[in-house]
mmCIF file with all atom_site columns, all heavy atoms in Angstrom:
data_model
loop_
_atom_site.group_PDB
_atom_site.id
_atom_site.type_symbol
_atom_site.label_atom_id
_atom_site.label_alt_id
_atom_site.label_comp_id
_atom_site.label_asym_id
_atom_site.label_entity_id
_atom_site.label_seq_id
_atom_site.pdbx_PDB_ins_code
_atom_site.Cartn_x
_atom_site.Cartn_y
_atom_site.Cartn_z
_atom_site.occupancy
_atom_site.B_iso_or_equiv
_atom_site.pdbx_formal_charge
_atom_site.auth_seq_id
_atom_site.auth_comp_id
_atom_site.auth_asym_id
_atom_site.auth_atom_id
_atom_site.pdbx_PDB_model_num
ATOM 1   N N   . ALA Q 1 176 ? 0.097  9.365  38.376 1.00 89.00 ? 176 ALA Q N   1
ATOM 2   C CA  . ALA Q 1 176 ? 0.894  9.953  37.285 1.00 89.00 ? 176 ALA Q CA  1
ATOM 3   C C   . ALA Q 1 176 ? 0.358  11.339 36.919 1.00 89.00 ? 176 ALA Q C   1
ATOM 4   O O   . ALA Q 1 176 ? 1.195  12.282 36.622 1.00 89.00 ? 176 ALA Q O   1
ATOM 5   C CB  . ALA Q 1 176 ? 0.865  9.107  36.027 1.00 89.00 ? 176 ALA Q CB  1
ATOM 6   N N   . VAL Q 1 177 ? -0.987 11.586 36.910 1.00 94.00 ? 177 VAL Q N   1
ATOM 7   C CA  . VAL Q 1 177 ? -1.523 12.842 36.578 1.00 94.00 ? 177 VAL Q CA  1
ATOM 8   C C   . VAL Q 1 177 ? -1.135 13.827 37.658 1.00 94.00 ? 177 VAL Q C   1
ATOM 9   O O   . VAL Q 1 177 ? -0.774 14.923 37.419 1.00 94.00 ? 177 VAL Q O   1
ATOM 10  C CB  . VAL Q 1 177 ? -3.141 12.774 36.534 1.00 94.00 ? 177 VAL Q CB  1
ATOM 11  C CG1 . VAL Q 1 177 ? -3.652 14.144 36.432 1.00 94.00 ? 177 VAL Q CG1 1
ATOM 12  C CG2 . VAL Q 1 177 ? -3.531 11.854 35.395 1.00 94.00 ? 177 VAL Q CG2 1
ATOM 13  N N   . LEU Q 1 178 ? -1.312 13.390 39.040 1.00 96.00 ? 178 LEU Q N   1
ATOM 14  C CA  . LEU Q 1 178 ? -1.041 14.333 40.158 1.00 96.00 ? 178 LEU Q CA  1
ATOM 15  C C   . LEU Q 1 178 ? 0.478  14.741 40.153 1.00 96.00 ? 178 LEU Q C   1
ATOM 16  O O   . LEU Q 1 178 ? 0.722  15.946 40.332 1.00 96.00 ? 178 LEU Q O   1
ATOM 17  C CB  . LEU Q 1 178 ? -1.464 13.769 41.424 1.00 96.00 ? 178 LEU Q CB  1
ATOM 18  C CG  . LEU Q 1 178 ? -2.945 13.466 41.600 1.00 96.00 ? 178 LEU Q CG  1
ATOM 19  C CD1 . LEU Q 1 178 ? -3.220 12.645 42.730 1.00 96.00 ? 178 LEU Q CD1 1
ATOM 20  C CD2 . LEU Q 1 178 ? -3.670 14.819 41.697 1.00 96.00 ? 178 LEU Q CD2 1
ATOM 21  N N   . GLU Q 1 179 ? 1.318  13.819 39.860 1.00 95.00 ? 179 GLU Q N   1
ATOM 22  C CA  . GLU Q 1 179 ? 2.767  14.052 39.783 1.00 95.00 ? 179 GLU Q CA  1
ATOM 23  C C   . GLU Q 1 179 ? 3.078  15.140 38.636 1.00 95.00 ? 179 GLU Q C   1
ATOM 24  O O   . GLU Q 1 179 ? 3.872  15.939 38.845 1.00 95.00 ? 179 GLU Q O   1
ATOM 25  C CB  . GLU Q 1 179 ? 3.517  12.873 39.733 1.00 95.00 ? 179 GLU Q CB  1
ATOM 26  C CG  . GLU Q 1 179 ? 3.533  12.025 41.019 1.00 95.00 ? 179 GLU Q CG  1
ATOM 27  C CD  . GLU Q 1 179 ? 4.045  10.609 40.847 1.00 95.00 ? 179 GLU Q CD  1
ATOM 28  O OE1 . GLU Q 1 179 ? 4.598  10.296 39.762 1.00 95.00 ? 179 GLU Q OE1 1
ATOM 29  O OE2 . GLU Q 1 179 ? 3.897  9.831  41.798 1.00 95.00 ? 179 GLU Q OE2 1
ATOM 30  N N   . TRP Q 1 180 ? 2.444  14.881 37.531 1.00 95.00 ? 180 TRP Q N   1
ATOM 31  C CA  . TRP Q 1 180 ? 2.644  15.713 36.341 1.00 95.00 ? 180 TRP Q CA  1
ATOM 32  C C   . TRP Q 1 180 ? 2.178  17.146 36.699 1.00 95.00 ? 180 TRP Q C   1
ATOM 33  O O   . TRP Q 1 180 ? 2.891  18.141 36.446 1.00 95.00 ? 180 TRP Q O   1
ATOM 34  C CB  . TRP Q 1 180 ? 1.923  15.220 35.151 1.00 95.00 ? 180 TRP Q CB  1
ATOM 35  C CG  . TRP Q 1 180 ? 1.957  16.084 33.985 1.00 95.00 ? 180 TRP Q CG  1
ATOM 36  C CD1 . TRP Q 1 180 ? 2.914  16.242 33.081 1.00 95.00 ? 180 TRP Q CD1 1
ATOM 37  C CD2 . TRP Q 1 180 ? 0.902  16.963 33.625 1.00 95.00 ? 180 TRP Q CD2 1
ATOM 38  N NE1 . TRP Q 1 180 ? 2.591  17.185 32.101 1.00 95.00 ? 180 TRP Q NE1 1
ATOM 39  C CE2 . TRP Q 1 180 ? 1.376  17.677 32.386 1.00 95.00 ? 180 TRP Q CE2 1
ATOM 40  C CE3 . TRP Q 1 180 ? -0.405 17.295 34.062 1.00 95.00 ? 180 TRP Q CE3 1
ATOM 41  C CZ2 . TRP Q 1 180 ? 0.503  18.544 31.807 1.00 95.00 ? 180 TRP Q CZ2 1
ATOM 42  C CZ3 . TRP Q 1 180 ? -1.156 18.321 33.504 1.00 95.00 ? 180 TRP Q CZ3 1
ATOM 43  C CH2 . TRP Q 1 180 ? -0.618 18.932 32.307 1.00 95.00 ? 180 TRP Q CH2 1
ATOM 44  N N   . VAL Q 1 181 ? 0.960  17.296 37.354 1.00 97.00 ? 181 VAL Q N   1
ATOM 45  C CA  . VAL Q 1 181 ? 0.500  18.596 37.774 1.00 97.00 ? 181 VAL Q CA  1
ATOM 46  C C   . VAL Q 1 181 ? 1.482  19.267 38.725 1.00 97.00 ? 181 VAL Q C   1
ATOM 47  O O   . VAL Q 1 181 ? 1.741  20.465 38.588 1.00 97.00 ? 181 VAL Q O   1
ATOM 48  C CB  . VAL Q 1 181 ? -0.831 18.458 38.473 1.00 97.00 ? 181 VAL Q CB  1
ATOM 49  C CG1 . VAL Q 1 181 ? -1.275 19.848 38.984 1.00 97.00 ? 181 VAL Q CG1 1
ATOM 50  C CG2 . VAL Q 1 181 ? -1.889 17.969 37.467 1.00 97.00 ? 181 VAL Q CG2 1
ATOM 51  N N   . GLU Q 1 182 ? 2.052  18.407 39.687 1.00 97.00 ? 182 GLU Q N   1
ATOM 52  C CA  . GLU Q 1 182 ? 3.018  19.027 40.557 1.00 97.00 ? 182 GLU Q CA  1
ATOM 53  C C   . GLU Q 1 182 ? 4.222  19.622 39.778 1.00 97.00 ? 182 GLU Q C   1
ATOM 54  O O   . GLU Q 1 182 ? 4.831  20.640 40.080 1.00 97.00 ? 182 GLU Q O   1
ATOM 55  C CB  . GLU Q 1 182 ? 3.484  17.995 41.593 1.00 97.00 ? 182 GLU Q CB  1
ATOM 56  C CG  . GLU Q 1 182 ? 2.403  17.625 42.575 1.00 97.00 ? 182 GLU Q CG  1
ATOM 57  C CD  . GLU Q 1 182 ? 2.918  16.376 43.474 1.00 97.00 ? 182 GLU Q CD  1
ATOM 58  O OE1 . GLU Q 1 182 ? 3.989  15.987 43.260 1.00 97.00 ? 182 GLU Q OE1 1
ATOM 59  O OE2 . GLU Q 1 182 ? 2.068  16.021 44.315 1.00 97.00 ? 182 GLU Q OE2 1
ATOM 60  N N   . ASP Q 1 183 ? 4.655  18.847 38.675 1.00 95.00 ? 183 ASP Q N   1
ATOM 61  C CA  . ASP Q 1 183 ? 5.818  19.161 37.934 1.00 95.00 ? 183 ASP Q CA  1
ATOM 62  C C   . ASP Q 1 183 ? 5.530  20.496 37.135 1.00 95.00 ? 183 ASP Q C   1
ATOM 63  O O   . ASP Q 1 183 ? 6.333  21.431 37.168 1.00 95.00 ? 183 ASP Q O   1
ATOM 64  C CB  . ASP Q 1 183 ? 6.125  18.143 36.928 1.00 95.00 ? 183 ASP Q CB  1
ATOM 65  C CG  . ASP Q 1 183 ? 7.397  18.433 36.214 1.00 95.00 ? 183 ASP Q CG  1
ATOM 66  O OD1 . ASP Q 1 183 ? 8.416  18.690 36.686 1.00 95.00 ? 183 ASP Q OD1 1
ATOM 67  O OD2 . ASP Q 1 183 ? 7.272  18.522 34.921 1.00 95.00 ? 183 ASP Q OD2 1
ATOM 68  N N   . ILE Q 1 184 ? 4.361  20.670 36.614 1.00 96.00 ? 184 ILE Q N   1
ATOM 69  C CA  . ILE Q 1 184 ? 4.110  21.878 35.733 1.00 96.00 ? 184 ILE Q CA  1
ATOM 70  C C   . ILE Q 1 184 ? 3.915  23.090 36.684 1.00 96.00 ? 184 ILE Q C   1
ATOM 71  O O   . ILE Q 1 184 ? 4.242  24.193 36.334 1.00 96.00 ? 184 ILE Q O   1
ATOM 72  C CB  . ILE Q 1 184 ? 2.922  21.825 34.838 1.00 96.00 ? 184 ILE Q CB  1
ATOM 73  C CG1 . ILE Q 1 184 ? 1.595  21.528 35.538 1.00 96.00 ? 184 ILE Q CG1 1
ATOM 74  C CG2 . ILE Q 1 184 ? 3.169  20.635 33.841 1.00 96.00 ? 184 ILE Q CG2 1
ATOM 75  C CD1 . ILE Q 1 184 ? 0.376  21.682 34.589 1.00 96.00 ? 184 ILE Q CD1 1
ATOM 76  N N   . ARG Q 1 185 ? 3.391  22.809 37.888 1.00 96.00 ? 185 ARG Q N   1
ATOM 77  C CA  . ARG Q 1 185 ? 3.274  23.950 38.824 1.00 96.00 ? 185 ARG Q CA  1
ATOM 78  C C   . ARG Q 1 185 ? 4.650  24.434 39.286 1.00 96.00 ? 185 ARG Q C   1
ATOM 79  O O   . ARG Q 1 185 ? 4.891  25.662 39.379 1.00 96.00 ? 185 ARG Q O   1
ATOM 80  C CB  . ARG Q 1 185 ? 2.492  23.526 40.079 1.00 96.00 ? 185 ARG Q CB  1
ATOM 81  C CG  . ARG Q 1 185 ? 0.988  23.072 39.828 1.00 96.00 ? 185 ARG Q CG  1
ATOM 82  C CD  . ARG Q 1 185 ? 0.229  24.228 39.253 1.00 96.00 ? 185 ARG Q CD  1
ATOM 83  N NE  . ARG Q 1 185 ? -1.153 23.674 38.915 1.00 96.00 ? 185 ARG Q NE  1
ATOM 84  C CZ  . ARG Q 1 185 ? -1.741 23.935 37.848 1.00 96.00 ? 185 ARG Q CZ  1
ATOM 85  N NH1 . ARG Q 1 185 ? -1.166 24.393 36.728 1.00 96.00 ? 185 ARG Q NH1 1
ATOM 86  N NH2 . ARG Q 1 185 ? -3.021 23.427 37.576 1.00 96.00 ? 185 ARG Q NH2 1
ATOM 87  N N   . ALA Q 1 186 ? 5.577  23.439 39.484 1.00 95.00 ? 186 ALA Q N   1
ATOM 88  C CA  . ALA Q 1 186 ? 6.926  23.823 39.830 1.00 95.00 ? 186 ALA Q CA  1
ATOM 89  C C   . ALA Q 1 186 ? 7.592  24.529 38.767 1.00 95.00 ? 186 ALA Q C   1
ATOM 90  O O   . ALA Q 1 186 ? 8.500  25.427 39.013 1.00 95.00 ? 186 ALA Q O   1
ATOM 91  C CB  . ALA Q 1 186 ? 7.785  22.605 40.130 1.00 95.00 ? 186 ALA Q CB  1
ATOM 92  N N   . ARG Q 1 187 ? 7.095  24.342 37.535 1.00 94.00 ? 187 ARG Q N   1
ATOM 93  C CA  . ARG Q 1 187 ? 7.744  25.109 36.341 1.00 94.00 ? 187 ARG Q CA  1
ATOM 94  C C   . ARG Q 1 187 ? 7.015  26.498 36.153 1.00 94.00 ? 187 ARG Q C   1
ATOM 95  O O   . ARG Q 1 187 ? 7.349  27.178 35.175 1.00 94.00 ? 187 ARG Q O   1
ATOM 96  C CB  . ARG Q 1 187 ? 7.607  24.315 35.103 1.00 94.00 ? 187 ARG Q CB  1
ATOM 97  C CG  . ARG Q 1 187 ? 8.490  23.084 35.112 1.00 94.00 ? 187 ARG Q CG  1
ATOM 98  C CD  . ARG Q 1 187 ? 8.223  22.218 33.905 1.00 94.00 ? 187 ARG Q CD  1
ATOM 99  N NE  . ARG Q 1 187 ? 9.140  21.059 33.842 1.00 94.00 ? 187 ARG Q NE  1
ATOM 100 C CZ  . ARG Q 1 187 ? 10.232 20.922 33.159 1.00 94.00 ? 187 ARG Q CZ  1
ATOM 101 N NH1 . ARG Q 1 187 ? 10.688 22.025 32.527 1.00 94.00 ? 187 ARG Q NH1 1
ATOM 102 N NH2 . ARG Q 1 187 ? 10.900 19.861 33.193 1.00 94.00 ? 187 ARG Q NH2 1
ATOM 103 N N   . GLY Q 1 188 ? 6.095  26.861 37.030 1.00 96.00 ? 188 GLY Q N   1
ATOM 104 C CA  . GLY Q 1 188 ? 5.363  28.054 36.846 1.00 96.00 ? 188 GLY Q CA  1
ATOM 105 C C   . GLY Q 1 188 ? 4.131  28.116 36.045 1.00 96.00 ? 188 GLY Q C   1
ATOM 106 O O   . GLY Q 1 188 ? 3.550  29.179 35.741 1.00 96.00 ? 188 GLY Q O   1
ATOM 107 N N   . ILE Q 1 189 ? 3.662  26.982 35.671 1.00 96.00 ? 189 ILE Q N   1
ATOM 108 C CA  . ILE Q 1 189 ? 2.407  26.882 34.795 1.00 96.00 ? 189 ILE Q CA  1
ATOM 109 C C   . ILE Q 1 189 ? 1.260  26.830 35.713 1.00 96.00 ? 189 ILE Q C   1
ATOM 110 O O   . ILE Q 1 189 ? 1.060  25.772 36.481 1.00 96.00 ? 189 ILE Q O   1
ATOM 111 C CB  . ILE Q 1 189 ? 2.401  25.644 33.876 1.00 96.00 ? 189 ILE Q CB  1
ATOM 112 C CG1 . ILE Q 1 189 ? 3.689  25.702 32.897 1.00 96.00 ? 189 ILE Q CG1 1
ATOM 113 C CG2 . ILE Q 1 189 ? 1.072  25.620 33.014 1.00 96.00 ? 189 ILE Q CG2 1
ATOM 114 C CD1 . ILE Q 1 189 ? 3.752  26.830 32.044 1.00 96.00 ? 189 ILE Q CD1 1
#
Side-chain angles (χ1 to χ4, degrees):
V177 173
L178 293 167
E179 288 166 10
W180 173 82
V181 172
E182 291 173 2
D183 182 62
I184 66 169
R185 299 298 181 237
R187 292 173 178 267
I189 305 296

